[in-house]
Amino acid sequence: MRTPPIFLAMVIILSVLVNCSIVTREVNGVGRPAVTIELASYNQSVDVEPDEGNDGIVQFSGTISVEVPWSPSIQYLIVYLNATAGNGTDQWPASTSPPLTFSKQVTTQNFQVVVRVPEETTQYPQGLLTVSGRWIYSPGTMGGSIEPVTAIIYVIGYYDHALAARESYVEGYRGDEVGYDLMISNLGNAYDTYELSVENMNQLNGKGVYVSVRDVRVPPLAEMTVQVNVTISSTATRGNFEIELRSKARDAAAAGDPDITRSITLNLRVLSGDKPSDEPEVEPEPIPDEPEVPDGDQGNEDKIVPEDSAVNEDAGDGSFPFVGFIVAAILVTIIVVIGILAYIFGKRED
């Protein structure tokens, strides 16, 4: 009896599926491998000063070793690496080798990690590199993580600074106290302390001008303002003066760069004359306007006429209304009396 072709095809497919299942079970049943990451160096330094043409790139190298209980059914072990770097504040770009394949013959391989630290990264806090990974059997489904390793990245400090004044020219009188706002910019990536001094101090003191200024510590890539105080004595020489200020970077000198100094000149003018009073000026009271004098009374400005006087020799026409009233009243009274008398006499004759 002849076997149908369809039946033979089904037998072949089932055989393949059974064999694949057995291979997978054997691979998964081998157990976990021992994968170890080692670095050639666990600390590196990097220079990020932009003016020196540094690119901020630092490289680490290392090896990966595997121990696998190999089985005839196992072909490969693949390792995928991952690298992260930063200083806790910023993350830095990091790249590593592509996936590495291990076999019975290849149990150790080298790898590299490249980290780029950005320009103007501060010296502290220090950077940290972490290299980790995952492994997987091929063919197979079993996989797992690899114990990570870490390394320190030291950012080399660089130093620079600049001086500027908000106003470099100030005027003052004898006995005055004036000042300047001096701005110190730390252009480096490390903390630095700046020692400030007046180069021509003795010359200024001899002219009665006294300058005081203090040292200041400035964070990296930051700016701070320092007050420069000037006292002008009451016997100071009048005229123009130059105040020559000099700064020296103390931490830069301790790091081996003692020549980082900067200078700035401030201008002072001691004015002639007395210092204006700080008291507010009081305006004088206005003088009342004098009354206008009629043309006819020219020359009699000093003559005082009482307002309540009943008799005024110079009153002129001003007393006429009062006198006329009295005369009219007398006349009316006389007329009334005459009328009454006429009426009485007329009655008697009747």
Side-chain angles (χ1 to χ4, degrees):
M1 181 177 178
R2 188 175 179 181
T3 304
I6 296 176
F7 179 77
L8 292 175
M10 293 178 62
V11 171
I12 294 173
I13 292 173
L14 289 173
S15 300
V16 172
L17 291 175
V18 170
N19 290 332
C20 290
S21 175
I22 293 173
V23 170
T24 301
R25 285 200 301 270
E26 288 182 354
V27 171
N28 290 338
V30 169
R32 297 173 63 88
V35 183
T36 304
I37 302 174
E38 293 184 357
L39 294 174
S41 174
Y42 288 88
N43 61 78
Q44 293 273 14
S45 298
V46 60
D47 197 339
V48 295
E49 185 175 4
D51 294 340
E52 299 296 328
N54 300 295
D55 53 13
I57 292 179
V58 58
Q59 296 185 9
F60 288 82
S61 61
T63 59
I64 296 179
S65 303
V66 299
E67 294 181 5
V68 179
W70 295 108
S71 168
S73 300
I74 297 176
Q75 294 180 348
Y76 304 106
L77 177 74
I78 302 176
V79 172
Y80 298 87
L81 289 177
N82 180 57
T84 59
N87 60 357
T89 302
D90 300 311
Q91 289 292 115
W92 304 334
S95 60
T96 186
S97 301
L100 303 174
T101 303
F102 296 86
S103 64
K104 291 182 180 181
Q105 295 76 26
V106 181
T107 59
T108 302
Q109 291 196 61
N110 297 326
F111 70 92
Q112 283 193 337
V113 176
V114 178
V115 179
R116 188 181 69 82
V117 182
E119 293 182 359
E120 298 185 345
T121 298
T122 56
Q123 184 180 22
Y124 296 102
Q126 297 172 347
L128 187 68
L129 168 67
T130 301
V131 182
S132 60
R134 290 187 56 82
W135 59 267
I136 188 172
Y137 284 130
S138 178
T141 59
M142 180 179 287
S145 60
I146 304 172
E147 186 71 20
V149 295
T150 58
I152 296 175
I153 300 176
Y154 295 101
V155 178
I156 300 173
Y158 62 88
Y159 302 87
D160 194 8
H161 71 283
L163 299 179
R166 187 168 285 111
E167 295 289 343
S168 60
Y169 175 81
V170 170
E171 295 180 347
Y173 290 89
R174 289 177 172 178
D176 256 349
E177 290 186 1
V178 296
Y180 304 83
D181 289 330
L182 182 67
M183 290 156 306
I184 303 181
S185 301
N186 184 351
L187 306 178
N189 70 335
Y191 271 88
D192 210 341
T193 301
Y194 302 102
E195 299 174 353
L196 298 171
S197 60
V198 181
E199 295 295 283
N200 58 339
M201 177 72 79
N202 293 334
Q203 178 184 356
L204 293 172
N205 291 351
K207 301 292 186 179
V209 176
Y210 304 93
V211 183
S212 62
V213 65
R214 62 179 178 85
D215 299 344
V216 62
R217 184 169 178 81
V218 184
L221 305 171
E223 179 183 275
M224 292 185 67
T225 301
V226 179
Q227 188 71 20
V228 180
N229 298 309
V230 180
T231 301
I232 305 172
S233 69
S234 58
T235 59
T237 304
R238 294 166 179 162
N240 297 319
F241 296 89
E242 290 185 347
I243 302 172
E244 300 173 5
L245 277 178
R246 179 175 178 267
S247 63
K248 180 179 179 180
R250 182 189 301 170
D251 293 75
D257 194 350
D259 298 327
I260 300 183
T261 60
R262 298 290 181 266
S263 298
I264 188 173
T265 299
L266 306 176
N267 298 291
L268 171 70
R269 179 174 179 81
V270 179
L271 300 173
S272 301
D274 297 329
K275 178 181 177 180
S277 175
D278 295 333
E279 297 181 359
E281 295 184 1
V282 179
E283 296 184 1
E285 295 183 359
I287 300 175
D289 296 335
E290 295 183 359
E292 295 184 1
V293 180
D295 294 341
D297 293 337
Q298 293 282 345
N300 295 325
E301 295 86 357
D302 297 333
K303 189 173 183 180
I304 300 176
V305 180
E307 294 182 357
D308 56 349
S309 174
V311 179
N312 191 335
E313 296 178 358
D314 297 326
D317 296 336
S319 61
F320 175 77
F322 181 74
V323 175
F325 176 79
I326 294 175
V327 172
I330 294 173
L331 291 177
V332 170
T333 302
I334 294 173
I335 292 173
V336 171
V337 171
I338 292 174
I340 293 172
L341 293 176
Y343 176 76
I344 294 172
F345 290 119
K347 284 290 184 180
R348 287 180 179 181
E349 289 177 358
D350 295 335

